[in-house]
Amino acid sequence: KLFAQQQQQQQITEEKARLFTVLRHPIDRQISLFYYLQTATWEPTFNTKLQSMTLQEYVNSTWVEENYMVRSLVNKMEGPLDEVGDFNMAKQLLHDNFLIGILDNLEESVKRFDAFFGWEPTDIQCQLQYLQHGVNRGTDGDGSSFPASDTTTTNKDENNGNQQQTQRERLDENSATYQQLQEQNRLDIALYEYAKNELFPEQAALIQQQQQSVQ
């Protein structure tokens, strides 16, 4: 969809729009999504079968995502991916169309969005609270994938106001489950590493040039 929209936009105008996104490590995102969907009864994607599943069972199931980021960019949500062609297209689309943020560097990411788009936060305290406490960054500080403080996450059921607690498994990077997720999402991981290690530093210069041009 994005590729087709990009072509259409180029036909209509010479001006180029830029989207923005915040990227999270695909495995952290995948695991967080699983635990969220176990309790998110208000979501259209809520599935009662997930409630009784372990993380390993989810990873083995048909509901687990596979290279969601690459698939979304190239509009190929089903079927096999061309590991060279589709990956390179996703990489190019990300490079040409997105100002990216990295969840592990959220403060800097938000500063870049503000600077590039000319946004000014209306409530500095609200922004600081969000940056410091509003995001589960998916790591407990020792390399394990979640959670930031302990192994229990509380979600609010918006339909009845109840607080539901989900006991999360700690997942070591050497575990079979982690390795399986890594294999299932190797294109997304490669795209994330490109974005974090190459594109994010490259775009720092873009922001700097823009700021210098308006001074």
Side-chain angles (χ1 to χ4, degrees), residues 112-145:
R112 290 188 186 187
F113 296 154
D114 288 346
F116 185 85
F117 293 107
W119 295 335
E120 294 184 7
T122 57
D123 189 333
I124 297 296
Q125 288 302 119
C126 180
Q127 184 187 65
L128 289 174
Q129 183 174 353
Y130 165 72
L131 290 174
Q132 294 171 3
H133 307 294
V135 175
N136 177 1
R137 302 188 185 210
T139 174
D140 63 359
D142 63 1
S144 303
S145 292

Side-chain angles (χ1 to χ4, degrees), residues 11-206:
Q11 295 171 357
I12 295 173
T13 176
E14 293 299 321
E15 296 183 7
K16 185 175 181 180
R18 187 173 289 270
L19 307 171
F20 71 96
T21 186
V22 177
L23 302 181
R24 185 178 190 178
H25 192 284
I27 295 182
D28 289 338
R29 178 192 168 278
Q30 184 92 269
I31 297 169
S32 180
L33 177 66
F34 164 65
Y35 286 109
Y36 173 72
L37 290 178
Q38 281 192 315
T39 60
T41 55
W42 55 90
E43 290 282 2
T45 52
F46 176 72
N47 187 336
T48 56
K49 293 182 180 180
L50 296 180
Q51 290 182 302
S52 59
M53 277 189 177
T54 65
L55 180 58
Q56 181 63 61
E57 289 171 339
Y58 172 71
V59 171
N60 290 332
S61 76
T62 58
W63 292 294
V64 71
E65 293 179 345
E66 177 188 329
N67 296 307
Y68 176 82
M69 187 161 54
V70 170
R71 289 183 178 278
S72 297
L73 285 167
V74 303
N75 194 27
K76 192 182 287 187
M77 301 309 295
E78 297 180 354
L81 288 169
D82 181 336
E83 295 199 6
V84 176
D86 287 334
F87 174 76
N88 286 336
M89 181 183 291
K91 187 176 174 180
Q92 193 67 47
L93 286 168
L94 197 65
H95 179 278
D96 292 347
N97 295 278
F98 286 88
L99 180 65
I100 65 161
I102 301 295
L103 187 60
D104 288 342
N105 198 351
L106 187 60
E107 289 83 355
E108 173 63 21
S109 300
V110 170
K111 288 178 182 177
R112 290 188 186 187
F113 296 154
D114 288 346
F116 185 85
F117 293 107
W119 295 335
E120 294 184 7
T122 57
D123 189 333
I124 297 296
Q125 288 302 119
C126 180
Q127 184 187 65
L128 289 174
Q129 183 174 353
Y130 165 72
L131 290 174
Q132 294 171 3
H133 307 294
V135 175
N136 177 1
R137 302 188 185 210
T139 174
D140 63 359
D142 63 1
S144 303
S145 292
F146 34 57
S149 55
D150 55 31
T151 57
T152 302
T153 295
T154 302
N155 294 298
K156 182 177 181 180
D157 185 331
E158 293 182 350
N159 290 327
N160 57 30
N162 291 335
Q163 298 289 329
Q164 297 178 317
Q165 288 192 332
T166 301
Q167 195 73 17
R168 294 185 168 189
E169 302 172 32
R170 290 183 178 273
L171 191 61
D172 187 271
E173 292 186 8
N174 295 318
S175 68
T177 303
Y178 191 97
Q179 297 296 322
Q180 187 173 345
L181 279 171
Q182 196 170 43
E183 175 61 24
Q184 289 169 335
N185 295 278
R186 61 185 180 278
L187 295 183
D188 268 11
I189 293 171
L191 188 63
Y192 173 80
E193 294 296 335
Y194 158 73
K196 181 178 180 180
N197 298 324
E198 296 183 43
L199 186 54
F200 191 66
E202 175 186 319
Q203 289 186 344
L206 175 68

